[in-house]
Amino acid sequence: MFATDLDGTLLRSDRTISARTAQAMENARLAGIEVVWATARARHSVHTLASSCGFRGKAVCANGAVILDLADGTPEIVDTISIETSLAATAMEQVRALIPGVVFANVGPTQFFAEPEYAALCEFADHHRHLHEMVLADTLPLDVEPMVKIVARHAEVPSADLYRTAVAAGIEGVELTHSGAPYMEMAAAGVSKASALAQLCAIDGIDASEVAAAGDAFNDVAMLTWAGTALAPANARAEVIELADRILPTNDEDGVASYLEELVAGS
């Protein structure tokens, strides 16, 4: 198995998948290598990207909380792990007390619920949603559909600092992470890209030692530590580069494609 993060790793800086990368993924599939996307992105965004390049594999979304199967071109939800409403409410209260002025959104498998103040800070690229595609609510969480992720941001505090502060404080009942986006992310305790990939490997009879994984940000650390081979593009965060077994060319240089081409040539 080859698992890859999307933004900053598989995608170029313009957030597209190059023709070279698309071909490399297809050649790897034909050579017997299961290519899995592992991302913080939501179902609709992954579907758009998969359609743009013809990807028909599995995708780990929401940092491990949602697993999709794109085999027939549609994003079929295979599994979800949600955050209990009471635990979500408690975690949000703790973060509010820790950093006054923080605002939240709750992400479901298909819907996005945001406080108006959160939505006001958003650009389309943050969640690949326009304002009219968000459900605005003064009070969160809403018991409408299972919650797979909580996102938190602040108008003045950088998201990486928000993440480090929350980690240091020990927010209870959730898994904290950061993907490099302008917000901090929370999933159910124990959920990560690594936990979802381990689930897929158990189904397919693949050992972790037979997995190579590529990523560039904090939310990739668990996956890279778990996989038999840890890869990072040269543009990755310093903390990620330190734990990588191998540094690939940057995302704009199609580093993932170059690695897949080597694997196929070797096979």
Side-chain angles (χ1 to χ4, degrees):
M1 179 182 288
F2 176 77
T4 179
D5 170 55
L6 296 182
D7 293 278
T9 305
L10 187 75
L11 306 187
R12 290 183 166 181
S13 295
D14 62 2
R15 302 194 181 200
T16 63
I17 296 172
S18 71
R20 177 187 178 187
T21 296
Q23 189 62 57
M25 289 190 292
E26 175 61 11
N27 291 344
R29 184 189 68 80
L30 294 173
I33 300 166
E34 182 175 4
V35 179
V36 178
W37 288 0
T39 179
R41 286 182 179 234
R43 173 176 175 264
H44 72 289
S45 175
V46 169
H47 183 210
T48 299
L49 280 173
S51 299
S52 75
C53 68
F55 179 72
R56 294 296 181 92
K58 293 185 176 65
V60 170
C61 304
N63 292 318
V66 177
I67 297 177
L68 301 180
D69 189 340
L70 296 138
D72 66 354
T74 60
E76 178 187 355
I77 297 176
V78 175
D79 190 29
T80 62
I81 300 177
S82 59
I83 310 168
E84 289 185 23
T85 302
S86 61
L87 294 177
T90 298
M92 291 163 64
E93 289 173 5
Q94 290 177 322
V95 175
R96 284 191 207 277
L98 184 65
I99 307 174
V102 69
V103 289
F104 294 94
N106 296 164
V107 184
T110 64
Q111 292 182 279
F112 189 94
F113 308 90
E115 295 174 345
E117 297 84 359
Y118 185 99
L121 296 175
C122 287
E123 298 179 1
F124 175 79
D126 294 344
H127 298 287
H128 305 279
R129 293 180 186 272
H130 296 290
L131 183 61
H132 71 271
E133 297 173 304
M134 302 179 183
V135 178
L136 302 187
D138 291 323
T139 303
L140 296 176
L142 298 177
D143 192 14
V144 177
E145 73 171 357
M147 185 192 317
V148 297
K149 188 167 70 169
I150 304 168
V151 289
R153 64 193 301 167
H154 195 283
E156 298 175 357
V157 180
S159 57
D161 293 343
L162 188 64
Y163 165 72
R164 293 188 181 97
T165 301
V167 168
I171 304 302
E172 300 174 358
V174 293
E175 198 75 29
L176 298 166
T177 193
H178 184 254
S179 63
Y183 44 80
M184 175 183 73
E185 298 158 76
M186 294 174 264
V191 171
S192 68
K193 293 182 181 182
S195 66
L197 290 171
Q199 181 180 338
L200 291 177
C201 283
I203 294 171
D204 295 339
I206 299 172
D207 189 79
S209 63
E210 300 174 290
V211 180
D216 72 309
F218 287 127
N219 65 329
D220 297 312
V221 168
M223 171 177 73
L224 297 177
T225 303
W226 167 82
T229 302
L231 309 164
N235 55 282
R237 297 189 66 94
E239 298 93 333
V240 175
I241 286 179
E242 287 179 3
L243 58 84
D245 297 310
R246 177 175 168 183
I247 308 304
L248 304 178
T250 68
N251 61 325
D252 286 326
E253 297 171 311
D254 292 336
V256 166
S258 68
Y259 182 78
L260 288 175
E261 290 162 355
E262 285 184 27
L263 288 183
V264 172
S267 67

